[in-house]
Amino acid sequence: MEAPPDNDVLWARALRHSHQGSPALLGVSVNVRAGEILAVLGPRGAGKSTLLRCLSGRIVADDGEVWFNSAPLHTLPEAARDQVRRERFGWVGGDAQLVPELTAWENAALPLLLRGESHRAARTAAQEWLDRLDIGAEAGKRPGDLLQAQRQRVAVARALAGRPDVVFADEPTAPLHRADQALVLRTLASAARSHGITVVLATGDPEVTAHADRVMGLIDGRPGAPMPAQAGGPASSWPASV
Ligand SMILES: Nc1ncnc2c1ncn2[C@@H]1O[C@H](COP(=O)(O)OP(=O)(O)OP(=O)(O)O)[C@@H](O)[C@H]1O
């Protein structure tokens, strides 16, 4: 087994995965450096979600390797993999998936509370992130009393409050209007940069990739050539060839 380079926080090789016989990944290799924001760009059905779920240990690929900080995630027993996910990774999906009975701050604080941190420390951290995402005033409201864009910001706060090494963001702004998309992405990117958090962002929108350091194209479960992101505008068009 080839050892991954030390400065890659994530390193995956030759990932193949099918859902009920239908292929989603057909041999994808990717490396992500610590503190980097990597965008995975591709059309619907390209395999972006499947790739993020494999990289984050939510599923184990049918074939291939995923290493996190030089440890093989793909061979870890399920309980150990779950622990890595809980303690080292954050996740933001297109659907906020908040606990309806909990307030915004309690939802944002969940990773810390589940980890056994004190109520006071968890609340302080959650409030800081909610403030930063411009939703601090809503901290005491339950998800049902929040707008969709506000719920999505709470989900981003929850992903960041746990001080993860890596945040996986799967189309995190897809349900939002343009103005809210820009705010959420800007905040996610600047928070990640200021805290050295690595981000792997899946999107079908080339404009979203302007927030990334690097863009990887994905089409039909196969990678395109890596492309540098361009500051201040759409980072790239679809890969010319895969
Ligand atoms: N749970 C599942 N069961 C069956 N097929 C699935 C499942 N998840 C994904 N697929 C299929 O695998 C392929 C890749 O899907 P995936 O969701 O990874 O792509 P994607 O690029 O994230 O697309 P989208 O933006 O539509 O979610 C698609 O053909 C999809 O229909």
Side-chain angles (χ1 to χ4, degrees), residues 28-168:
V28 177
S29 297
V30 58
N31 66 307
V32 191
R33 290 185 292 279
E36 181 178 38
I37 299 180
L38 173 71
V40 180
L41 175 67
R44 294 211 61 161
K48 305 180 297 293
S49 297
T50 306
L51 176 61
L52 263 60
R53 290 169 69 205
C54 289
L55 293 176
S56 64
R58 291 187 155 219
I59 55 174
V60 176
D62 296 337
D63 202 8
E65 302 175 11
V66 176
W67 295 70
F68 165 62
N69 279 345
S70 306
L73 209 53
H74 56 290
T75 57
L76 281 185
E78 193 174 348
R81 212 174 58 243
D82 284 349
Q83 189 178 0
V84 171
R85 275 178 44 203
R86 269 198 316 273
E87 297 185 357
R88 314 296 294 274
F89 296 160
W91 180 276
V92 193
D95 177 5
Q97 295 195 320
L98 304 178
V99 181
E101 294 80 10
L102 301 182
T103 62
W105 83 258
E106 288 167 334
N107 268 286
L110 258 189
L112 298 170
L113 294 170
L114 290 173
R115 198 186 284 178
E117 293 209 13
S118 76
H119 197 265
R120 177 191 288 244
R123 179 163 198 165
T124 303
Q127 186 68 48
E128 274 174 21
W129 284 112
L130 292 173
D131 288 343
R132 196 160 176 173
L133 285 151
D134 210 12
I135 195 187
E138 321 297 333
K141 290 190 179 169
R142 293 199 161 71
D145 297 322
L146 297 175
L147 301 171
Q148 184 181 38
Q150 294 173 323
R151 288 197 293 272
Q152 201 61 13
R153 287 188 225 171
V154 177
V156 173
R158 179 183 56 194
L160 292 163
R163 299 186 298 274
D165 293 285
V166 185
V167 168
F168 295 92

Side-chain angles (χ1 to χ4, degrees), residues 161-188:
R163 299 186 298 274
D165 293 285
V166 185
V167 168
F168 295 92
D170 187 7
E171 304 262 14
T173 58
L176 306 182
H177 296 300
R178 280 276 172 215
D180 285 319
Q181 282 189 358
L183 172 69
V184 169
L185 285 167
R186 250 197 338 268
T187 313
L188 177 60

